């Protein structure tokens, strides 16, 4: 029996910048795209045995990429406490459920930026073998942090340069796709350095980068504080996570550091909660507006963003990427550019560029369909109508 599927839709977004074909179609064979483009041309490649899936009134686009998740955290009020109460077997079981929720929400690739016991590698293998549903996982495994530093409880504490090099090598040898380093403190870690404080100097971060490069892996730096951001940029990391420009008494978006980020093509993942509309209530209107304004400034200066939700931390559930993206439209970014952040740009930054983010011959059969045209307004992402992951149909998440 043929495993080919012909999907037709009002339009198909095939590539960056909202490149799109009206009255389009996608032909898949197993887990791979055979053709994507004008319906008449794609249909001509199909035959009577191919399964036909008509999605009138929808836009088909590449499956979404959430570039910052933590499958080990539960998105509850105390993710660290919950994690501490779970053994690896129990943890792996709930990670499977979170992966299933992600893919049902249209997220067909995730970058997991820190787990415990390298459990994401086991889950990645289960998903790749087809045993359980879930997105493609680009895994950081054990995040690098100083003794008692941010997320020390995930098992990645290093006290010397030797330990630092050893951890990066061990992660790489065991199958990590990216190295995560905690350049600053973080709110999740009680008793650790303050969120704005740098945990490593530029020289130590450069050692992380050197070891990662040796293993052919990119480096993602968790960096809230301005000092840590500057150190990470100097060290030559590939992506900056959060990038909130915090100082002891506020925020300091440094123009010179921002210029270096743009010049070096460092991608920024300004993790945005699906519930970003609550931020003025949680943080106060003034602080929220300052944070929003910083993201707007970075966008205006030409920073290349990738989309991420920090799923797993407080208030960031699995499957909220589509709501999170509406934030960027709110601060004035054109919808096609926001869609790029969650497809082509993100896949490229994750090193998954050859595999995901684009609908073209030979690319993975990872795609979604939503009502209406999201290029004209991201509200259209709300109504998810169809999800295909590795050529398999996944019942889409209805409620958001
Ligand atoms: Zn994170």
């Amino acid at each position: 029996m043929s495993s080919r599927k012909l999907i037709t839709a009002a339009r198909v977004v095939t590539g960056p910048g909202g490149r799109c074909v009206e009255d389009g179609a996608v032909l898949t064979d197993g887990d791979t795209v055979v053709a994507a483009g004008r319906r008449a041309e794609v249909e001509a490649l199909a035959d009577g045995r191919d399964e036909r899936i008509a999605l009138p009134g929808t836009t088909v686009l590449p499956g979404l990429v959430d570039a910052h998740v933590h499958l080990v955290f539960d998105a509850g009020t105390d993710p660290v406490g919950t994690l501490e109460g779970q053994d690896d077997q129990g943890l792996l079981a709930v990670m499977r459920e979170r992966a299933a929720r992600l893919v049902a929400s249209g997220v067909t690739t995730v970058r997991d930026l820190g787990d415990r016991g390298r459990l994401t590698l086991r889950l990645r293998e289960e998903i790749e073998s087809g045993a359980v549903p879930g997105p493609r996982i680009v895994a950081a495994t054990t995040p690098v942090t100083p003794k008692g530093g941010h997320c020390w409880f995930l098992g990645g504490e290093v006290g010397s340069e030797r330990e630092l090099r050893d951890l990066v090598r061990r992660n790489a040898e065991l199958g990590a796709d990216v190295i995560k380093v905690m350049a600053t403190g973080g709110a999740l870690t009680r008793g650790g350095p303050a969120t704005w404080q740098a945990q490593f100097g530029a020289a130590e971060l450069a050692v992380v980068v050197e070891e990662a490069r040796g293993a052919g892996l990119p480096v993602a730096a968790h960096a809230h504080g301005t000092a840590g951001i500057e150190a990470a940029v100097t060290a030559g990391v590939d992506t900056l996570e959060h990038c909130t420009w915090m100082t002891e008494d506020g925020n300091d978006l440094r123009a010179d550091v921002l210029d270096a980020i743009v010049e070096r093509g460092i991608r920024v993942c300004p993790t945005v909660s699906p519930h970003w509309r609550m931020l003025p209530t949680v943080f106060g209107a003034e602080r929220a507006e300052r944070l929003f304004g910083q993201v707007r400034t970075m966008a205006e200066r030409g920073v290349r963003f990738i989309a991420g939700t920090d799923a797993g931390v407080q208030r960031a559930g699995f499957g909220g990427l589509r709501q999170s993206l509406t934030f960027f439209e709110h601060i004035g970014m054109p919808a096609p550019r926001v869609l790029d952040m969650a497809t082509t740009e993100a896949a490229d930054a994750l090193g998954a560029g050859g595999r995901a983010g684009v609908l073209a011959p030979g690319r993975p059969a990872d795609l979604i369909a939503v009502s209406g045209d999201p290029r004209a307004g991201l509200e259209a992402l709300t109504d998810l109508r169809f999800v295909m992951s590795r050529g398999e149909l996944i019942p889409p998440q209805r409620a958001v």
Side-chain angles (χ1 to χ4, degrees):
M1 208 189 104
S2 165
S3 63
R4 302 209 317 173
K5 296 180 178 74
L6 176 71
I7 300 140
T8 54
R11 62 195 68 76
V12 175
V13 175
T14 54
R19 195 170 69 215
C20 184
V21 176
E22 297 292 328
D23 194 18
V26 181
L27 180 64
T28 63
D29 188 355
D31 60 4
T32 307
V33 171
V34 174
R38 259 182 261 287
R39 178 189 182 131
E41 287 163 24
V42 177
E43 236 169 12
L45 301 169
D47 63 39
R49 289 167 303 171
D50 297 338
E51 184 183 340
R52 283 167 195 253
I53 301 167
L55 303 168
T58 70
T59 300
V60 165
L61 55 158
L64 303 177
V65 181
D66 189 334
H68 193 133
V69 307
H70 297 278
L71 287 157
V72 293
F73 292 135
D74 74 341
T77 51
D78 182 15
V80 179
T82 307
L83 177 70
E84 282 167 352
Q86 282 166 321
D87 64 14
D88 282 1
Q89 225 35 49
L91 185 55
L92 188 56
V94 286
M95 287 166 71
R96 285 188 198 107
E97 290 168 18
R98 294 165 194 163
R101 280 210 293 283
L102 279 162
V103 75
S105 76
V107 172
T108 53
T109 301
V110 295
R111 184 176 55 161
D112 185 284
L113 285 182
D115 69 0
R116 191 184 77 192
R118 300 191 180 87
L119 287 175
T120 46
L121 298 182
R122 285 168 63 183
L123 183 59
R124 187 179 72 183
E125 202 178 303
E126 290 183 3
I127 293 169
E128 278 173 9
S129 73
V132 299
R136 289 167 203 280
I137 297 178
V138 174
T141 69
T142 311
V144 181
T145 199
K147 299 275 181 206
H150 181 45
C151 285
W152 61 269
F153 45 83
L154 295 179
E157 290 176 289
V158 294
S160 66
E161 186 182 319
R162 166 127 315 268
E163 285 178 7
L164 198 160
R165 289 186 188 274
D166 283 349
L167 177 56
V168 174
R169 273 185 218 160
R170 207 153 57 240
N171 280 348
E173 278 163 16
L174 292 172
D177 304 297
V178 54
I179 298 301
K180 170 79 177 292
V181 62
M182 302 301 196
T184 70
L188 211 56
T189 308
R190 282 184 293 263
T195 306
W196 58 269
Q197 273 176 323
Q199 299 195 135
F200 287 117
E204 291 164 303
L205 294 174
V207 171
V208 175
V209 172
E210 184 191 307
E211 279 296 333
R213 291 282 182 279
L217 300 182
V219 175
H222 161 103
H224 275 291
T226 301
I229 293 169
E230 185 180 22
V233 171
T234 304
V237 303
D238 299 272
T239 66
L240 289 166
E241 309 302 315
H242 315 301
C243 203
T244 48
W245 305 95
M246 287 171 73
T247 58
E248 187 168 9
D249 50 8
N251 299 85
D252 180 19
L253 193 161
R254 287 252 309 272
D256 57 329
V257 180
L258 186 53
D259 286 347
I261 291 171
V262 175
E263 222 166 84
R264 297 175 190 191
I266 296 172
R267 285 355 195 275
V268 172
C269 183
T271 51
V272 173
S273 163
H275 305 294
W276 62 269
R277 284 177 205 277
M278 282 168 50
L279 285 183
T281 315
V282 177
F283 287 161
E286 196 192 330
R287 185 173 159 208
E289 202 30 67
R290 199 163 64 230
L291 290 172
F292 290 7
Q294 289 187 149
V295 181
R296 194 181 292 120
T297 301
M298 288 192 279
E300 285 166 1
R301 296 282 192 86
V303 169
R304 296 173 75 176
F305 286 149
I306 53 177
T309 56
D310 218 351
V313 306
Q314 294 99 328
R315 291 187 292 272
F318 294 87
L321 179 64
R322 288 172 293 128
Q323 295 99 291
S324 156
L325 292 177
T326 57
F327 165 80
F328 296 93
E329 195 174 40
H330 173 78
I331 62 155
M333 282 175 66
R337 191 172 158 201
V338 181
L339 292 173
D340 285 352
M341 283 175 51
T343 54
T344 48
E345 279 286 323
D348 203 35
L350 268 52
R355 294 183 277 137
V358 175
L359 293 177
R363 299 301 183 106
D366 290 351
L367 55 96
I368 65 171
V370 298
S371 296
D373 186 354
R375 294 170 313 146
L378 295 177
E379 197 52 37
L381 292 176
T382 312
D383 190 15
L384 182 66
R385 305 292 291 278
F386 179 82
V387 178
M388 175 184 271
S389 163
R390 298 159 197 272
E392 301 285 334
L393 304 193
I394 307 282
Q397 170 202 67
R398 298 302 301 174
V400 287

